[in-house]
Amino acid sequence: MLKAIPAGAGVLGEQLQVAVEELAAWMREYGDVAPHPSQDVDLGALEAATADLRSRLRDNYPFHHPRYAGQMLKPPHPAAIIGYVTAMLVNPNNHALDGGPATAAMEKEVVAQLAAMFGFPPAPGHLGHLTSSGTIANLEALFVARETHPGKAIAHSADAHYTHARMAHVLGIEAVAVPTGPDGSMSLEALADLLASGRVGTVVATTGTTGLGAVDPVHEIVPLARENGVRVHVDAAYGGFFRLIADDTPDGVAAAPFAAIADADSVVIDPHKHGLQPYGCGAVLFRDPGVAAHYLHDSPYTYFTSDDLHLGEISLECSRAGAAAAALWLTTRLLPLTSDGLGEVLRPGRRAALAWAGLIEDSGELALYQPPALDIVTYLPARARLSEVDAVSAAVLAQGMALPLDESLHLATYTVGGASLAARGHRVEADVDAGRILRSVLMKPEHEAAVPDLHAAVLALLREV
């Protein structure tokens, strides 16, 4: 595997400078264009405004640092930055080949790589494209679900991302939440009862819930759905890239659910999470290229320079940044979608989650809410009542963020009820309906080395509370 480009070594700036100079030379080949005076700005005003911008951007949490173990946030890989900014200098639009021929080709290449990662047949045996987000990717998948099974509901885990219920509302279809088991994954028994009713046309299986990181048993959901004539859509927005390390090894994840994605009807993934991309990069893939018929539309001025497939012809979105495709294309050139490519970036986070889970289990002051399936760890203060668990968790969260910058600790919380705690064997009196526990997302490779310090910091805050 090629080593990551070191952001602090000047390589990023050097490559961007080369890009600016080479693209400027290419533009001049068409002839010089004098900038229009209407776009002139005062240099002093520009310097003042950009200084203000830099100052205001400091009002963020340290997403880049291992002490940030809160939400699913981290900076993109330097290669993605180079790819994005380089293409942004041209500003192509990947809706039609007329607006971005080069980046549209790159998009088709990276989509083919994603399809291969999931085990979908090579083109033309699949259909897919990038989107501006996982939300839009799921909207498109549910749109096709509605068109292929009109009048039928979609079923999703009760712990699935709220986007499914929201997008079902937008599409005017019914969404049914299926209860979960003690590990936070979809209950097969409850799903079987629901499917037997004939009410559902598509099951949404999640490989990595955004709250707990739970993985639905896709390998068991697919045959159950097929027995009932039901489609399967996989929401792999968060956990999709774990397919690269789904090998049942000590620092990998369970193989069966991820291998079964190859038999699903559609899947979404968010490269802006574990794919190391900036925001504005999701993806949706369909196993049957025939679903393109549901996107059928025409434009009297758009699709005219080529008879090849225009990405806008298979997308609900119109304008999309070609820079997002360039960023992902360049990243996968350096970190390919293989176990020893991008997979080596995921394993440290997985090891970090397992290591911290072990420290928590050995601690008398914290309790592991449930074993981590991916790289999300959930845990709670050892208290007798749920109200106390909630108050202490909230205090640890607030006090960690209030520490001096070079000592600050950024976690997150997750709301649970008494029944969920009891199902996982926690003897906590449910004196309130719900309470917060602690949650840490260890998606940066640097988290692996930081686990002992993170654990010690949480214990120190806990003792102060």
Side-chain angles (χ1 to χ4, degrees):
M1 183 188 77
L2 294 175
K3 294 184 179 297
I5 297 174
V11 174
L12 181 62
E14 291 172 6
Q15 290 299 310
L16 289 177
Q17 183 62 36
V18 169
V20 170
E21 293 173 356
E22 290 194 356
L23 285 171
W26 168 74
M27 291 176 181
R28 285 194 297 271
E29 291 178 13
Y30 286 87
D32 288 331
V33 177
H36 194 275
S38 64
Q39 300 186 77
D40 288 346
V41 296
D42 179 75
L43 181 58
L46 175 62
E47 291 175 345
T50 53
D52 190 28
L53 172 65
R54 292 190 297 271
S55 175
R56 295 191 67 166
L57 286 174
R58 293 173 68 90
D59 186 22
N60 271 305
Y61 301 126
F63 306 130
H64 68 288
H65 201 278
R67 285 196 304 275
Y68 185 86
Q71 305 298 344
M72 299 167 172
L73 291 163
K74 65 177 180 179
H77 191 278
I81 297 173
I82 293 172
Y84 197 100
V85 175
T86 300
M88 190 180 65
L89 296 170
V90 182
N91 200 28
N93 178 357
N94 268 24
H95 177 69
L97 294 175
D98 315 288
T103 50
M106 294 179 196
E107 178 167 339
K108 292 177 183 179
E109 290 175 31
V110 295
V111 167
Q113 294 173 39
L114 292 171
M117 181 181 74
F118 286 123
F120 278 22
H126 69 266
L127 191 77
H129 61 88
L130 300 182
T131 65
S132 60
S133 68
T135 298
I136 298 301
N138 275 306
L139 169 64
E140 296 212 16
L142 298 184
F143 160 72
V144 170
R146 184 191 71 180
E147 299 302 294
T148 55
H149 287 66
K152 296 284 189 177
I154 65 160
H156 57 79
S157 155
D159 281 358
H161 197 279
Y162 56 82
T163 191
H164 300 295
R166 292 180 72 188
M167 294 303 102
H169 175 70
V170 169
L171 292 165
I173 56 180
E174 181 186 11
V176 183
V178 181
T180 58
D183 63 352
S185 67
M186 185 184 293
S187 165
L188 289 171
E189 293 77 11
L191 178 62
D193 291 342
L194 176 62
L195 295 186
S197 70
R199 177 180 170 193
V200 172
T202 298
V203 176
V204 178
T206 302
T207 51
T209 60
T210 49
L212 300 173
V215 177
D216 287 341
V218 183
H219 55 298
E220 296 178 280
I221 290 173
V222 169
L224 181 59
R226 299 299 184 233
E227 291 172 9
N228 291 273
V230 172
R231 298 176 71 258
V232 176
H233 166 59
V234 178
D235 180 359
Y238 184 73
F241 285 107
F242 281 92
R243 177 68 183 89
L244 300 174
I245 61 168
D247 51 14
D248 294 323
T249 59
D251 62 352
V253 300
F258 289 91
I261 295 175
D263 299 319
D265 296 284
S266 57
V267 60
V268 305
I269 188 169
D270 269 354
H272 70 241
K273 293 187 173 78
H274 291 99
L276 310 178
Q277 300 306 292
Y279 279 105
C281 188
V284 60
L285 297 100
F286 298 95
R287 205 173 196 283
D288 176 14
V291 302
H294 302 297
Y295 288 94
L296 189 63
H297 68 282
D298 195 14
S299 170
Y301 64 90
T302 304
Y303 313 122
F304 64 87
T305 59
S306 174
D307 292 331
D308 291 341
L309 178 69
H310 296 258
L311 293 165
E313 296 180 275
I314 55 168
S315 171
L316 295 182
E317 291 181 273
C318 291
S319 297
R320 288 185 301 107
L328 183 56
W329 181 88
L330 184 59
T331 306
T332 59
R333 283 285 299 270
L334 301 173
L335 295 169
L337 302 184
T338 60
S339 61
D340 59 352
L342 183 61
E344 287 298 305
V345 181
L346 272 67
R347 288 191 191 274
R350 174 61 175 156
R351 290 194 294 263
L354 294 171
W356 200 351
L359 292 174
I360 290 168
E361 286 187 309
D362 292 339
S363 167
E365 299 168 86
L366 293 168
L368 188 66
Y369 180 64
Q370 68 176 52
L374 300 177
D375 58 3
I376 298 175
V377 183
T378 47
Y379 50 103
L380 57 145
R383 295 293 188 272
R385 298 180 179 85
L386 183 52
S387 60
E388 296 170 344
V389 170
D390 176 79
V392 174
S393 297
V396 168
L397 176 72
Q399 292 184 22
M401 294 170 63
L403 290 171
L405 289 181
D406 60 348
E407 299 175 12
S408 61
L409 178 66
H410 299 261
L411 307 172
T413 58
Y414 182 76
T415 302
V416 301
S420 296
L421 286 163
R424 291 163 173 81
H426 297 288
R427 297 183 178 180
V428 177
E429 179 187 340
D431 59 333
V432 292
D433 291 338
R436 288 161 289 183
I437 63 173
L438 293 165
R439 170 178 168 272
S440 294
V441 179
L442 306 177
M443 67 187 305
K444 293 187 283 288
E446 297 83 3
H447 275 134
E448 182 177 15
V451 162
D453 290 339
L454 291 171
H455 183 68
V458 172
L459 291 182
L461 289 169
L462 196 61
R463 290 161 189 163
E464 289 182 14
V465 173

